[in-house]
Amino acid sequence: MNTLRASLRRCQTARINSRSTESWDQGHVPAAIHLPTALIPEQAGQLLDKEVPVVTYCWGPGCNRRPVPRSLSPNCAYQVKEMLGGFEYWAREGFEFETWEGSRRREADPLTAPVDADDCGC
């Protein structure tokens, strides 16, 4: 995830949050685009640049939204990657996120992120 994080920080990717409006309001990755799964076929062409890689995410590892990357890449129109762990692990690993109330950050969960190191070493 370190390479993904670095790429996201440099804004070299479009971040697509495919969750509901209620979930979006609860929290989302900074600079993400809110594009619920059902609206992807209709709105992706208006919101995304086919030259910019796309990272999609949903709630977390238990979410069954696997069709999201496929719905963005018919005929290889978009370069799509999935952010494994989704928003849940983004927040649990201590990264900043945005809510309808503003920016927030949680302490890193020692079950999902190293506490005394910059990365997990893998």
Side-chain angles (χ1 to χ4, degrees), residues 35 39-49 71-72 78:
L35 186 56
L39 299 177
I40 288 173
E42 176 186 327
Q43 295 184 3
Q46 300 164 27
L47 298 172
L48 302 175
D49 179 343
S71 68
L72 274 170
Y78 297 94

Side-chain angles (χ1 to χ4, degrees), residues 17-83:
N17 178 314
S18 62
R19 302 176 304 144
S20 68
T21 299
E22 295 81 11
S23 296
W24 168 266
D25 288 346
Q26 188 173 339
H28 54 273
V29 173
I33 298 167
H34 186 220
L35 186 56
T37 302
L39 299 177
I40 288 173
E42 176 186 327
Q43 295 184 3
Q46 300 164 27
L47 298 172
L48 302 175
D49 179 343
K50 292 179 181 171
E51 300 299 315
V52 176
V54 175
V55 175
T56 65
Y57 70 92
C58 55
W59 192 261
C63 181
N64 292 320
R65 295 286 182 173
R66 299 290 179 244
V68 172
R70 286 193 296 273
S71 68
L72 274 170
S73 59
N75 304 319
C76 300
Y78 297 94
Q79 305 167 53
V80 183
K81 295 193 183 266
E82 183 177 359
M83 187 171 81

